[in-house]
Every structure is written in C-alpha cells, then in structure tokens.
C-alpha cells in the first residue's frame, strides 16, 4: 500500500469543454478562443507540468465545467513499499 499526497488547484475561469479537456496535456495544445487570444502562451505549461509530475511517479488530472471553472489534481507518492 503506497501513501500519497494529493494537491488540488481550482479556478473560477471559463472552464474547458470535454472535447478540449482530453487534449490539454498535449504539447503545444491550446484551447481555441476564437479570434481573440486573451491568454498568451505556447501550449507548453500543462505539458511540462505533466512531465515533471510523471518523473516523480505521480499523476495529474483535470476536471472542468464550461462556465464554472477547472480543478487540477496532482497526486504524488510519499513513499514506496519496502522503502
């Protein structure tokens, strides 16, 4: 049995639709905002966050509802069996 710590970060932003949510950890992926990009970036932040979490044997996941915001949860092991 492995002990873990879970960290959740929530916002009250515009939310992410289900169709886009499955892609947000892909390198260079940005949720389309029409012609106006209010948020600048290269679509790398969540990709790199996932890679760092995975290097620490953890997971990161996102839940979101359009118009209500998003919740990102990072789960990291505290210790491994036998250590």
């Amino acid at each position: 049995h492995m002990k873990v710590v879970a960290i959740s970060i929530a916002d009250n932003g515009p939310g992410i639709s289900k169709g886009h949510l499955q892609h947000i950890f892909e390198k260079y992926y940005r949720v389309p905002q029409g012609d106006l990009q209010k948020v600048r970036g290269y679509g790398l932040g969540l990709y790199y966050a996932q890679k760092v979490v995975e290097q620490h044997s953890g997971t990161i996941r996102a839940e979101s509802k359009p118009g209500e915001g998003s919740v990102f949860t990072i789960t990291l092991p505290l210790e491994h069996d036998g250590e």
Side-chain angles (χ1 to χ4, degrees):
H1 183 82
M2 186 183 342
K3 293 182 182 179
V4 299
V5 63
I7 304 162
S8 292
I9 300 104
D11 68 29
N12 59 355
I16 304 166
S17 70
K18 225 177 213 183
H20 293 293
L21 195 60
Q22 62 188 340
H23 298 288
I24 61 170
F25 294 104
E26 295 173 8
K27 194 172 190 178
Y28 303 120
Y29 188 81
R30 296 184 66 203
V31 176
Q33 301 290 320
D35 292 336
L36 181 61
Q37 286 288 348
K38 293 181 184 178
V39 179
R40 296 175 186 251
Y42 296 100
L44 292 170
L46 291 174
Y47 170 78
Y48 285 133
Q50 182 180 46
K51 294 301 173 200
V52 169
V53 168
E54 288 174 349
Q55 287 177 351
H56 289 87
S57 302
T59 61
I60 184 170
R61 64 183 172 85
E63 299 174 46
S64 190
K65 291 183 182 175
E68 293 184 26
S70 304
V71 178
F72 292 85
T73 303
I74 298 168
T75 304
L76 297 168
L78 288 176
E79 59 186 40
H80 295 282
D81 285 343
E83 292 185 11

